[in-house]
Amino acid sequence: MENDRNWAGNYRYSASELYVPANVGQVQEMVARSRQVKVLGTRHSFNGIADCTESLLSLQNLNRVIALDHAHNKVTVEGGIRYGELCQYLHGSGYALHNLASLPHITVAGACATATHGSGDLNGNLATVVHSFEVVKADGDVAVFSREKQDGGIAGAIVGLGGLGVVTKITLDVIPAFQMNQYVYDNLPLVHLKEHFDDIFSSGYSVSLFTDWKKATFNQVWLKRKIADQAFDQVEPEFFGARLATSHRHPVPGHTSVNCSEQMGIPGPWHERLPHFRMDFTPSAGEELQSEYFVPRQDAYHALCSLDLIREHISPLLYVSEVRTIAEDNLWMSPCYKQESVAIHFTWKPSWEAVKQVLPIIEKQLEPFHARPHWGKLFAMPPARLQSLYEKLPDFQQLLLQCDPQGKFRNAFLNTNIMGD
Ligand SMILES: Cc1cc2nc3c(=O)[nH]c(=O)nc-3n(C[C@H](O)[C@H](O)[C@H](O)COP(=O)(O)OP(=O)(O)OC[C@H]3O[C@@H](n4cnc5c(N)ncnc54)[C@H](O)[C@@H]3O)c2cc1C
């Protein structure tokens, strides 16, 4: 393969060839004749989840919107579309998605496969709005998973970790387009979360807290609000002890804010406020690593205090940490399965040897809270521990075996972390 690395450059794919099919027929034919194959999205995962030793397949040419169903508020897209492309189209048609990740450059299928999420007390992860999808299975046949089928299969399949086959078509729920604004506040003491966790995170449609763990303080609060939300039409100079920022901010202290989504309360469309970074800023590669852990919402304050105890281990290796809330869902392999959740994210400097040492320390601190790692990021958790955190794991294993009895779509990541080989 010519470009054999992921977006961050920390992972080198071991596959020997990359297929780029032009249509679903070619996908079926390539899958049927391959011995082992994995789909590559936009390569934004930080571990080997998208890798295999034989063939990779990219759906970069299957990136169209197929249909917008005004009667049922649904959009159907091809499996290679990226959020950036979809959002432009939806907004132009008067629609929106309920939420987005911090950047719009990832594919819809790749994001759903790893339960990618944004923030917001009432917002489930991005896979929760999938109404149905089609997948080319190992034998080349197409299977359909849909909420309309009574078998409940979609709940098991949509956070599929790339193990079911090639997702070629997805139908998503859409909502009417909306306007938002975004304010940043500086310096929120961690201790203020003790009494006000719910007040803070319910203060906007999507709320993120950022810290560099140099102090027991969140350097920034990013508050994203729907403009029509009458409850939030005032901007206060102070927010639970934090002060309203007087200029644009980048989450990483000292970085220029030029590539960040618009702040200072300037109104704009949903897809230009929900991500932290601008659509037209497309970094081709990242000089960073990422990890993220999900804890039950009710434990979040204590989990953060546990991390505060080891901040001298974290801070020197870190660009920034972000704390977000995610609504519970019923998706088997989602870290938010039946659990209102808080995600504690780490953007690391690209020093893997050092980061590798600190991940077990973090995981030990978070162990009492049954923290689950993000599927697409870096973690150190032993497979047995990881597996014990997912009550639907046996059902998911069965689903993988049903869709792919020979393990054509299984790779080292799935064999180790899911199948327990
Ligand atoms: C800068 C940056 C910011 C990020 N921000 C967030 C964030 O805000 N929130 C969050 O939760 N995560 C975030 N992530 C993580 C990222 O969203 C996930 O790793 C996501 O899975 C990446 O999608 P991708 O399209 O790059 O897929 P890849 O990383 O290429 O693949 C991920 C998995 O999806 C599978 N896959 C991809 N396409 C298909 C398909 N068509 N059919 C079947 N399987 C498929 C792959 O086989 C693999 O198993 C971020 C990552 C980066 C680099």
Side-chain angles (χ1 to χ4, degrees):
M1 262 168 64
E2 206 172 286
N3 174 10
D4 61 355
R5 287 193 175 263
N6 65 343
W7 173 86
N10 69 304
Y11 188 88
R12 172 174 274 150
Y13 300 107
S14 45
S16 50
E17 54 190 348
L18 175 69
Y19 297 143
V20 188
N23 53 50
V24 177
Q26 287 183 9
V27 174
Q28 292 178 276
E29 190 254 311
M30 286 168 181
V31 168
R33 77 172 142 83
S34 299
R35 275 194 312 179
Q36 213 206 7
V37 61
K38 281 313 274 186
V39 192
L40 261 189
T42 44
R43 308 170 184 228
H44 279 77
S45 295
F46 291 84
N47 56 36
I49 191 168
D51 197 12
C52 75
T53 48
E54 296 216 356
S55 313
L56 290 174
L57 190 150
S58 164
L59 297 188
Q60 67 190 52
N61 292 331
L62 277 76
N63 64 348
R64 287 175 314 129
V65 174
I66 298 172
L68 181 58
D69 178 348
H70 294 273
H72 300 100
N73 290 335
K74 308 231 177 300
V75 67
T76 301
V77 296
E78 289 185 318
I81 200 166
R82 298 179 303 157
Y83 280 98
E85 296 150 354
L86 174 58
C87 291
Q88 299 282 1
Y89 168 85
L90 283 179
H91 189 68
S93 310
Y95 289 97
L97 294 169
H98 80 299
N99 208 4
L100 292 171
S102 67
L103 88 176
H105 308 103
I106 50 179
T107 63
V108 174
C112 292
T114 62
T116 288
H117 63 95
S119 191
D121 284 1
L122 303 179
N123 297 326
N125 70 49
L126 304 184
T128 58
V129 297
V130 175
H131 169 265
S132 51
F133 67 100
E134 288 185 10
V135 59
V136 174
K137 294 185 300 161
D139 56 8
D141 286 350
V142 175
V144 179
F145 291 90
S146 170
R147 261 189 240 145
E148 273 156 33
K149 290 189 177 177
Q150 299 306 311
D151 59 6
I154 191 163
I158 186 59
V159 181
L161 312 179
L164 274 80
V166 185
V167 175
T168 49
K169 197 179 187 186
I170 311 187
T171 299
L172 305 164
D173 296 328
V174 292
I175 55 178
F178 55 96
Q179 294 278 307
M180 300 189 83
N181 62 27
Q182 172 164 254
Y183 287 101
V184 175
Y185 288 84
D186 293 329
N187 298 321
L188 173 75
L190 167 62
V191 69
H192 289 194
L193 268 64
K194 186 175 182 189
E195 300 295 328
H196 297 293
F197 190 93
D198 288 341
D199 302 324
I200 288 167
F201 278 97
S202 64
S203 293
Y205 185 82
S206 166
V207 178
S208 292
L209 310 186
F210 291 95
T211 178
D212 55 11
W213 289 111
K214 288 199 171 123
K215 295 184 290 194
T217 298
F218 291 97
N219 309 63
Q220 295 171 15
V221 179
W222 287 39
L223 206 54
K224 299 167 193 272
R225 288 170 165 168
K226 273 185 165 179
I227 301 251
D229 223 332
Q230 298 290 320
F232 300 130
D233 60 0
Q234 297 273 335
V235 56
E236 302 296 338
E238 201 181 310
F239 181 83
F240 300 97
R243 301 292 304 171
L244 188 63
T246 50
S247 61
H248 281 72
R249 297 283 190 260
H250 187 289
V252 182
H255 280 50
T256 168
S257 63
V258 65
N259 298 319
C260 294
S261 52
E262 197 82 70
Q263 302 157 30
M264 312 282 290
I266 297 166
W270 58 279
H271 63 300
E272 293 180 5
R273 294 296 176 277
L274 282 172
H276 302 327
F277 300 99
R278 294 162 61 105
M279 293 274 186
D280 51 5
F281 162 62
T282 312
S284 57
E287 293 288 305
E288 64 185 55
L289 303 172
Q290 295 187 9
S291 306
E292 190 167 33
Y293 297 93
F294 299 76
V295 296
R297 183 184 171 107
Q298 70 270 16
D299 295 334
Y301 175 67
H302 294 294
L304 288 164
C305 290
S306 286
L307 293 178
D308 187 49
L309 296 175
I310 55 159
R311 67 179 137 84
E312 76 281 7
H313 291 280
I314 299 173
S315 185
L317 304 176
L318 192 74
Y319 282 127
V320 77
S321 241
E322 180 178 9
V323 179
R324 293 178 274 185
T325 55
I326 306 115
E328 73 169 71
D329 59 55
N330 70 342
L331 309 179
W332 296 358
M333 298 311 289
S334 161
C336 308
Y337 178 73
K338 294 199 175 158
Q339 174 178 290
E340 296 289 337
S341 300
V342 169
I344 308 172
H345 163 89
F346 304 84
T347 301
W348 303 108
K349 295 172 186 168
S351 315
W352 176 229
E353 285 310 313
V355 171
K356 201 161 65 176
Q357 306 299 319
V358 89
L359 291 182
I361 303 173
I362 290 176
E363 291 176 6
K364 188 160 190 303
Q365 291 301 102
L366 295 181
E367 196 176 310
F369 312 107
H370 309 288
R372 298 165 174 167
H374 191 301
W375 293 114
K377 302 186 182 180
L378 296 163
F379 55 87
M381 197 172 282
R385 169 75 186 159
L386 180 57
Q387 288 164 17
S388 73
L389 298 168
Y390 283 87
E391 75 177 72
K392 296 298 275 184
L393 184 91
D395 299 292
F396 185 66
Q397 290 170 335
Q398 283 309 310
L399 184 64
L400 291 185
L401 290 169
Q402 256 170 31
C403 290
D404 180 15
Q406 312 298 330
K408 198 179 265 194
F409 287 99
R410 287 201 276 288
N411 57 7
F413 183 94
L414 289 174
N415 287 335
T416 305
N417 293 303
I418 302 298
M419 302 311 277
D421 295 356

